């Protein structure tokens, strides 16, 4: 009988893959990185993974994630709004900085091996919007920690 785990040494481990659903969340960042698409060569994503610390009732009703869940937010870097979305996230992490402080170097540092955002708290207000093609899309508005859940 062959070993069912034959080849496990070269198997890839994937991230959370549980995308943020509508609602309000307080998250603790676990990792910020750039990832390459496995399906589309040359396509890159800005990826934030975090642990849900708190969520509102809307999140629960929409099937959202509860405290302790790991969630992922992806930004397709080919989209016109990608740089704005990434900048908004970075500013929410560091509200003492101005828009001018967030440049290429700051963003590369954010996704680098030192992981300066790891452990930081951030709030997310996620809403469903319709794309031009009529599909549902969850838009995340990032805010400094404590703005959506001030009493936590």
């Amino acid at each position: 009988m062959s070993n069912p785990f034959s080849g496990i040494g070269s198997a890839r481990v994937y991230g959370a893959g549980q995308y943020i659903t509508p609602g309000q969340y307080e998250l603790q960042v676990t990792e910020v990185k750039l990832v390459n698409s496995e399906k589309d060569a040359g396509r890159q994503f800005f990826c934030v993974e975090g642990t849900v610390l708190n969520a509102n009732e809307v999140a629960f009703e929409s099937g959202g994630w509860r405290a302790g869940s790991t969630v992922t937010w992806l930004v397709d870097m080919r989209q016109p709004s990608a740089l704005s979305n990434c900048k908004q996230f970075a500013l929410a992490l560091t509200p003492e900085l101005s828009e001018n402080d967030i440049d290429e170097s700051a963003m590369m540092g954010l996704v680098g091996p030192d992981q300066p955002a790891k452990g930081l708290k951030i709030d997310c207000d996620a809403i469903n919007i319709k794309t031009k093609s009529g599909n549902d899309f969850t838009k995340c508005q990032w805010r400094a920690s404590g703005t959506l859940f001030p009493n936590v």
Side-chain angles (χ1 to χ4, degrees), residues 16-21 25 27 30 48-52 65-66 69-73 142:
Q18 299 181 140
Y19 301 114
I20 296 173
T21 58
Y25 299 88
L27 304 175
T30 54
V48 175
E49 291 187 351
T51 301
V52 175
W65 310 105
R66 299 183 184 277
S69 299
T70 300
V71 294
T72 302
W73 178 61
W142 297 99

Side-chain angles (χ1 to χ4, degrees), residues 89-98 102 120 122 144:
F89 173 80
L91 284 169
L93 280 176
T94 53
E96 67 278 1
L97 298 181
S98 74
I102 307 299
L120 295 180
I122 190 167

Side-chain angles (χ1 to χ4, degrees), residues 114-152:
D114 292 339
Q115 289 295 296
K118 185 176 183 172
L120 295 180
K121 294 179 183 176
I122 190 167
D123 290 350
C124 177
D125 191 3
I127 58 170
N128 260 351
I129 61 171
K130 292 285 184 190
T131 64
K132 290 178 183 176
S133 60
N135 297 321
D136 284 333
F137 176 78
T138 304
K139 175 153 181 63
C140 292
Q141 289 290 120
W142 297 99
R143 304 182 196 289
S145 178
T147 56
L148 295 175
F149 297 96
N151 298 323
V152 175

Side-chain angles (χ1 to χ4, degrees), residues 34-100:
L34 289 172
V35 294
N36 295 315
S37 172
E38 292 184 1
K39 296 179 183 177
D40 190 359
R43 187 175 185 185
Q44 200 167 44
F45 294 92
F46 178 78
C47 175
V48 175
E49 291 187 351
T51 301
V52 175
L53 300 176
N54 200 357
N56 72 349
E57 218 31 61
V58 172
F60 298 144
E61 291 168 4
S62 71
W65 310 105
R66 299 183 184 277
S69 299
T70 300
V71 294
T72 302
W73 178 61
L74 291 177
V75 177
D76 183 343
M77 296 305 292
R78 295 188 309 186
Q79 295 299 316
S81 60
L83 295 177
S84 294
N85 289 331
C86 293
K87 190 173 206 174
Q88 183 201 35
F89 173 80
L91 284 169
L93 280 176
T94 53
E96 67 278 1
L97 298 181
S98 74
E99 288 186 33
N100 294 331

